[in-house]
Amino acid sequence: MIGIIDYGVGNVGSILNMLKHISVDAFLAKTPSDIEKATKLILPGVGSFDYGMTLLNESGLREVVDKKVIADNLPVLGICLGMQMMTRGSEEGTLSGLNWINGNCIKFKFDDDLKNIRIPHMGWNDIHVQKDNDSFFPMINNELQFYFAHSYHLICNNDIVTATCKYGYEFPVAFHQDNIFGAQFHPEKSHQFGMNFLMAFAKYCTAD
């Protein structure tokens, strides 16, 4: 059963509703015992980096989440800010991230010829799968689109990047490293594309 880490930030209700809509067993994980009984985890997040890390650090869940992900290799999916929090840190704040992957987050930086591009990157955009036959991204009518809302983006080792997106320039929007998955986009706002993505995560975890 997927435990959605409820540490006080993120649209956890929307994620839970979409998982229920696609008949995936899920619940809001609010206590350490909730985390312990989950067979996979989702780390959501919206807002600023330091705000998210502060709430997670003060929630009483950080230690058990670290244990389940790092020591027990429990599959985990970070969404938007949740994905960014999996890195070492972000230009948006001063606090350290979870340091689960070797990466950082930086603000969009555009050359003068792209200065009219607005920040944040908000709305629908195409993504480009970087690994052949990646089952997390089944296309619909030859399209692969997701909903974004962010001003900072990931930089990391290209070996773990599974999808990119172009907004002024190409940047990573999804990664997979061992049991750790990240998505900059919002699958819970991405209609059938998001449903397929979350179903693929649920099936991957079940298969493992």
Side-chain angles (χ1 to χ4, degrees):
M1 181 177 288
I2 296 179
I4 304 168
I5 303 170
D6 187 358
Y7 60 104
V9 66
N11 44 349
V12 293
S14 297
I15 298 171
L16 181 62
N17 288 338
M18 178 167 275
L19 289 170
K20 288 182 176 180
H21 180 72
I22 59 177
S23 300
V24 171
D25 289 333
F27 69 103
L28 298 183
K30 301 182 178 183
T31 67
S33 61
D34 288 340
I35 302 294
E36 289 284 359
K37 70 182 182 183
T39 57
K40 57 277 258 188
L41 294 169
I42 290 179
L43 177 63
V46 293
S48 68
F49 189 89
D50 279 4
Y51 178 67
M53 284 306 307
T54 296
L55 287 181
L56 182 60
N57 289 337
E58 294 178 352
S59 68
L61 302 177
R62 170 73 186 270
E63 183 176 355
V64 66
V65 168
D66 272 335
K67 170 185 173 294
K68 297 301 288 185
V69 172
I70 301 304
D72 298 345
N73 295 313
L74 198 72
V76 60
L77 168 64
I79 295 176
C80 197
L81 177 63
M83 181 211 76
Q84 295 183 4
M85 289 164 56
M86 291 174 161
T87 67
R88 294 193 303 262
S90 173
E91 287 183 348
E92 187 178 19
T94 59
L95 295 180
S96 297
L98 291 164
N99 203 27
W100 292 346
I101 69 160
N102 185 14
N104 291 291
C105 295
I106 64 171
K107 190 168 186 177
F108 280 105
K109 296 178 176 67
F110 299 125
D111 296 333
D112 288 343
D113 56 339
L114 298 174
K115 62 183 179 181
N116 291 328
I117 297 181
R118 294 183 177 180
I119 301 173
H121 171 214
M122 184 170 290
W124 290 87
N125 207 340
D126 297 333
I127 72 165
H128 313 116
V129 177
Q130 300 299 298
K131 295 185 181 297
D132 293 339
N133 301 318
D134 194 308
S135 61
F136 272 60
F137 299 104
M139 298 187 76
I140 303 172
N141 297 326
N142 293 320
E143 293 184 339
L144 201 51
Q145 297 182 329
F146 289 87
Y147 186 86
F148 291 85
H150 64 116
S151 299
Y152 294 77
H153 68 81
L154 173 69
I155 53 171
C156 66
N157 189 326
N158 287 336
D159 290 344
I160 69 171
V161 175
T162 55
T164 63
C165 177
K166 187 172 183 180
Y167 189 69
Y169 52 79
E170 204 86 8
F171 63 96
V173 295
F175 68 80
H176 173 202
Q177 177 178 286
D178 301 323
N179 58 307
I180 303 171
F181 298 81
Q184 180 61 68
F185 49 82
H186 285 276
E188 76 282 5
K189 296 182 179 180
S190 300
H191 307 319
Q192 191 63 49
F193 299 100
M195 293 180 198
N196 290 348
F197 180 81
L198 291 174
M199 179 62 77
F201 174 68
K203 287 181 176 178
Y204 169 89
C205 296
T206 301
D208 278 24

